[in-house]
Amino acid sequence: EFENWFVAAAESLRTHPALPDGIAMPNAPETIHAPAWLTKQMQSLDRTRSYRKVTDARELVKLLNPAICRTHSPSFN
């Protein structure tokens, strides 16, 4: 999934206002259900918040560090 790249580069997304400052990439980021993981991260700050692909992905792509993503995500290459 496209969102798995966000998980693989989680440390570069720390400045997104809906994500916690201490967000960290889980083990094997390409094997998890990334939208659910992103929702869980967002809900750690706001229980009513969920990941919204159309609006959130646009903002997360702006923050995504390609070098970090490439390191943790073979599919990104």
Side-chain angles (χ1 to χ4, degrees):
E1 293 179 45
F2 175 66
E3 286 85 0
N4 288 84
W5 293 345
F6 297 140
V7 178
E11 64 188 78
S12 67
L13 307 178
R14 290 179 177 158
T15 59
H16 190 282
L19 294 171
D21 293 337
I23 191 170
M25 179 194 73
N27 293 331
E30 292 191 332
T31 65
I32 67 169
H33 185 251
W37 183 84
L38 287 162
T39 291
K40 183 178 178 183
Q41 298 304 308
M42 291 176 175
Q43 287 180 346
S44 71
L45 297 177
D46 176 356
R47 299 290 299 155
T48 63
R49 182 74 156 85
S50 61
Y51 171 72
R52 298 175 308 246
K53 184 171 190 156
V54 174
T55 56
D56 291 326
R58 184 176 336 144
E59 297 304 313
L60 293 172
V61 164
K62 293 176 187 176
L63 300 172
L64 186 133
N65 181 313
I68 293 171
C69 190
R70 189 171 290 115
T71 299
H72 302 292
S73 177
S75 70
F76 190 74
N77 277 330

